[in-house]
Amino acid sequence: MIAALIVDVLASVLLLGGAFWMLTAALSMFRAHDALARINVLSPATGLGLPMIVLGAFLLHTKVEGFEVAVLIKTILTVVALIIVSSIASNVLSRAAYMSGSAVDPRTAPQDLARSPEEGDQVPLTEER
Amino acid sequence: MSIVLWLTVCLLGATILVGLLRIASAPDPASRAVVGDLVFFSGVGLIVLIGLLNESAAAVDAALIAAVLGILATVALARILTRGRR
């Protein structure tokens, strides 16, 4: 009986926490001022919010139908895919956002995409800040 | 327990609404693509929750497929942003 309670509490914490991360990511899209900052803000939702929801779903599924290795493997695959695939997708999207000429905060450094290849990498402005 | 599930569904619904509001008021297309990506992933979260509410095993499968194939939507958005150039 206690185990069912613990699984319930853990699953609800995971589910509500994951939904909380998604909501804060959506709300903070208003605070971020340019596309790159918004892509940066997106990562907690896809890297942490959704894996928590999927883990909560796995816990509830285990409580209802008992433990199944197949579902565990799928859950692990989903969490790993979410973290890896969403970071690659964000990288592709941010490169496209930068190349598409959308407004970029002037303070973002280094902006290596704007420089021609032979100029090499720009030194980040660490000493000025 | 179903209270928690329905509360999570409401939170994710609010996420989608806020995301759609942000898409409507976004200044540049890049931000719209990003918030569209967020709406897509919260849609995946909704699918998982609906699967849970109906006690169906398809919840985790749907999330797995959406997570792995989610990159196609984002890469498509990125390609649209740069008008087909790499």
Side-chain angles (χ1 to χ4, degrees), chain A residues 19-108:
Chain A
F20 166 74
W21 284 116
M22 308 288 278
L23 190 57
T24 42
L27 287 173
S28 52
M29 290 296 180
F30 284 93
R31 283 188 60 82
H33 296 305
D34 64 349
L36 292 185
R38 286 196 187 96
I39 291 168
N40 194 16
V41 151
L42 179 68
S43 54
T46 53
L48 183 63
L50 211 49
M52 281 167 81
I53 290 178
V54 171
L55 281 178
F58 168 71
L59 279 181
L60 287 182
H61 180 76
T62 312
K63 183 169 87 78
V64 169
E65 267 117 24
F67 179 75
E68 290 161 12
V69 182
V71 180
L72 175 67
I73 292 171
K74 279 184 224 160
T75 309
I76 291 173
L77 269 180
T78 307
V79 170
V80 167
L82 271 174
I83 292 174
I84 294 178
V85 164
S86 69
S87 53
I88 291 175
S90 300
N91 199 356
V92 167
L93 195 57
S94 48
R95 189 179 187 285
Y98 189 85
M99 299 296 273
S100 73
S102 66
V104 176
D105 193 328
R107 288 168 296 174
T108 45

Side-chain angles (χ1 to χ4, degrees), chain A residues 8 38-39 46 64 74 102, chain B residues 22 28 31 34 41 55 61:
Chain A
D8 267 351
R38 286 196 187 96
I39 291 168
T46 53
V64 169
K74 279 184 224 160
S102 66
Chain B
R22 187 56 209 168
D28 56 345
S31 312
V34 171
F41 277 114
E55 309 281 350
D61 304 345

Side-chain angles (χ1 to χ4, degrees), chain B residues 20-61:
Chain B
L20 290 179
L21 272 177
R22 187 56 209 168
I23 287 178
S25 65
D28 56 345
S31 312
R32 287 203 181 105
V34 171
V35 184
D37 199 18
L38 174 67
V39 169
F40 166 73
F41 277 114
S42 46
V44 169
L46 264 181
I47 290 174
V48 170
L49 280 165
I50 290 167
L52 272 180
L53 281 168
N54 302 341
E55 309 281 350
S56 76
V60 185
D61 304 345

